[in-house]
Amino acid sequence: MPVLGKYPTSGFRVDAAGPPKAGISAGAVLLINIKQLLTLRSSSGGARRGAELNELGIIRDGAVLSVGGKIVSVGNTSDALRDPWVRENRRKITEFPCEGKVVVPGFVDAHTHPVFMDARLIDFEKRVSGASYEEIAESGGGIRSSLKGVRRATRNQLAQRVLATLEEMGAQGTTTVEAKSGYGLTIEAELKSLEAIREAACRWPGTVVPTLLGAHVVPPEFLARSHSYVDAVCKEMIPLAAKRNLAAFVDVFTERGAFSLKETETILRVAAHHCLATRVHVCQLAKCNLQPILKYHPASLDHLDYVEDGDVAAIAKLDTVATLVPASNYFLATGHFPPARKLIDAGVPVALATDYNPGTSPTTSMPFVLSLACTQMKMSAAEAIVAATMNGACSLRLGNRKGSLEPGKDADIAVFEVADYREIPYWVAANRCSTTILNGIPRTE
Ligand code: NIG
Ligand code: FE
């Protein structure tokens, strides 16, 4: 049997989504005769920048073998079928013939808000009639209008919603999901949201990385006393989420109408004190000076629609990943998209994510996000795929386990019913994913 590679642990508490999945176990899985196998293997490791974003490591007539949830070999089909362990155990292996198909690492959706109860149709109609995000929020819609549903719901009801979302994502090639709280905004409702994420994560074979977004907006009962709410986030929510191992990251929505730079700094400092890594929603609606935030080395800066040139150069010097979420730009229909080319050309590692949420991005589809990245942000199909896999993994500090198909990594694999990888972003709003393998567990349409 081929020898397992090394897969060092990340050093971060990214496994906070709970114990290994009860009742689900991964056997041996072999994919063969793959027309284009995109391994994304690289000698450099880590997040991909500049020209590295185009390196797909394609193998033709490829094969991938995974055993017990880990990839053990990646190569061509004839070598895989000659392997003595494969020959001896062939009857026990679940085999997927992939003639004419494309196989990629499972998508890593590194920015989602799945813990909510209801669609926001009034906001949707207002937007269609021309209202802006801020106008909708000021008139009682937006994030605050999702609070009631989450506060009233039981943990189990929320978990069911999250699980349904994870399943929908898995059916479209996503194998790792970052999931934020942020629609409860009381200590109790935020912890309940994180528990719901954990409960859903235990029932889904993929990987879920939970994030506390208690600082999404100031809830109505704290209006005009945002400092007291920030106090509650810092003195209660973060310590409790950390103590109960319910979150791997802390996020803040830094924007006018949400939290100031000063408040953001306070929250980032407290998160670091509790050994939680950080990611920040920034420059979504307006320019903002990122220097004070960069001091805290967030794992990811998200949105960055209005990032300034000086800050782009500063981000390029760090390990911070820029997670772009163009489906929210599409849905808000502002006609403005994040400056992906500028970021890539400056050497910033760019990731792509859905930003799945009820207000600005009600989509679970990473292929749709890839399509937007190509058509609206002028990324190549190769750059979009690397951004949606390896760089998403790095933004979650999981680059050593996820994001490429290499021996020793988690067996997170997506099979697409297309003959060329460029068709993944090309077929707009279609789902060509036929099989997803999540931690070695196959799910087929
Ligand atoms: O990423 N910007 C803040 N959070 C979400 C929107 C949330 C909402 O409108 O419900 C976002 O776009
Ligand atoms: Fe978001």
Side-chain angles (χ1 to χ4, degrees):
M1 180 176 166
V3 178
L4 263 175
K6 285 201 173 112
Y7 42 99
T9 53
S10 71
F12 277 83
R13 305 167 57 159
V14 287
D15 278 319
K21 328 281 169 183
I24 318 175
S25 65
V29 175
L30 177 64
L31 293 85
I32 51 168
N33 297 128
I34 303 163
K35 181 148 193 271
Q36 290 182 346
L37 167 59
L38 277 57
T39 64
L40 272 66
R41 65 188 167 201
S42 154
S43 48
S44 62
R48 310 285 155 86
R49 301 166 191 260
E52 292 165 358
L53 271 159
N54 274 300
E55 290 169 15
L56 296 175
I58 297 183
I59 299 176
R60 283 166 221 283
D61 194 17
V64 185
L65 172 67
S66 81
V67 179
K70 299 285 174 191
I71 294 173
V72 290
S73 69
V74 177
N76 60 45
T77 301
S78 49
D79 286 346
L81 296 180
R82 269 201 298 269
D83 181 282
W85 187 86
V86 169
R87 287 170 66 161
E88 207 170 295
N89 293 280
R90 191 104 183 241
R91 264 179 299 135
K92 287 190 233 151
I93 300 175
T94 307
E95 215 166 281
F96 289 92
C98 297
E99 284 84 2
K101 297 182 191 173
V102 171
V103 168
V104 299
F107 295 127
V108 177
D109 190 347
H111 181 145
T112 85
H113 305 249
V115 195
F116 63 89
M117 286 306 283
D118 304 303
R120 292 221 296 263
L121 301 179
I122 296 169
D123 292 10
F124 181 51
E125 289 202 311
K126 282 187 184 162
R127 181 160 311 114
V128 170
S129 342
S132 72
Y133 183 81
E134 283 164 304
E135 283 162 353
I136 290 170
E138 277 156 22
S139 68
I143 295 165
R144 290 186 191 93
S145 61
S146 290
L147 302 185
K148 206 188 270 174
V150 169
R151 289 178 182 182
R152 276 191 190 147
T154 63
R155 185 187 68 197
N156 195 37
Q157 284 169 326
L158 292 172
Q160 304 269 21
R161 296 294 303 245
V162 176
L163 182 59
T165 301
L166 294 173
E167 277 166 357
E168 201 177 298
M169 290 170 163
Q172 297 170 91
T174 299
T175 52
T176 298
V177 177
E178 183 261 9
K180 304 177 199 294
S181 66
Y183 293 115
L185 308 187
T186 62
I187 290 148
E188 190 199 0
E190 284 299 298
L191 294 176
K192 178 176 67 179
S193 298
L194 291 172
E195 283 164 3
I197 292 170
R198 169 136 80 186
E199 198 174 307
C202 291
R203 286 146 64 189
W204 188 60
T207 301
V208 180
V209 179
T211 294
L212 171 67
L213 179 56
H216 203 179
V217 284
V218 177
E221 51 278 25
F222 283 89
L223 280 182
R225 344 180 252 128
S226 67
H227 62 279
S228 309
Y229 185 67
V230 172
D231 248 21
V233 170
C234 292
K235 296 197 177 132
E236 298 185 75
M237 277 184 208
I238 294 175
L240 282 170
K243 187 166 164 228
R244 298 189 199 165
N245 204 19
L246 282 169
F249 287 92
V250 169
D251 196 344
V252 185
F253 184 18
T254 309
E255 194 72 58
R256 58 178 189 228
F259 294 90
S260 69
L261 268 179
K262 213 164 157 254
E263 290 167 331
T264 303
E265 280 197 70
T266 305
I267 294 165
L268 297 182
R269 204 175 309 119
V270 171
H273 177 76
H274 288 275
C275 298
L276 294 172
T278 51
R279 42 207 321 108
V280 192
H281 284 69
V282 276
C283 308
Q284 179 181 9
L285 307 170
K287 288 179 182 169
C288 151
N289 170 19
L290 295 181
Q291 298 302 325
I293 292 179
L294 294 180
K295 283 191 308 214
Y296 297 90
H297 291 248
S300 177
L301 292 174
D302 299 44
H303 288 277
L304 291 172
D305 300 24
Y306 294 97
V307 63
E308 299 205 90
D309 291 356
D311 287 337
V312 171
I315 301 168
K317 295 199 185 103
L318 303 174
D319 281 339
T320 300
V321 173
T323 302
L324 309 183
V325 289
S328 69
N329 303 75
Y330 161 81
F331 197 73
L332 291 176
T334 56
H336 181 86
F337 281 83
R341 282 261 59 91
K342 191 184 276 184
L343 289 158
I344 292 170
D345 296 344
V348 174
V350 163
L352 289 168
T354 59
D355 192 13
Y356 174 73
N357 77 74
T360 67
S361 189
T363 181
T364 51
S365 170
M366 285 296 279
F368 175 56
V369 170
L370 266 60
S371 194
L372 291 171
C374 296
T375 58
Q376 309 302 311
M377 304 199 297
K378 308 301 171 211
M379 290 173 69
S380 68
E383 288 173 331
I385 288 172
V386 175
T389 54
M390 192 58 205
N391 282 5
C394 291
S395 97
L396 297 176
R397 304 247 162 100
L398 287 174
N400 47 13
R401 276 176 50 193
K402 311 270 182 196
S404 65
L405 300 178
E406 296 176 273
K409 283 202 160 184
D410 295 346
D412 290 340
I413 306 169
V415 181
F416 279 84
E417 207 77 47
V418 293
D420 186 292
Y421 72 86
R422 290 168 293 190
E423 291 181 61
I424 299 173
Y426 173 84
W427 297 110
V428 187
N431 183 22
R432 302 278 162 139
C433 178
S434 54
T435 301
T436 313
I437 294 161
L438 308 103
N439 287 306
I441 317 261
R443 76 164 307 290
T444 312
E445 272 312 286

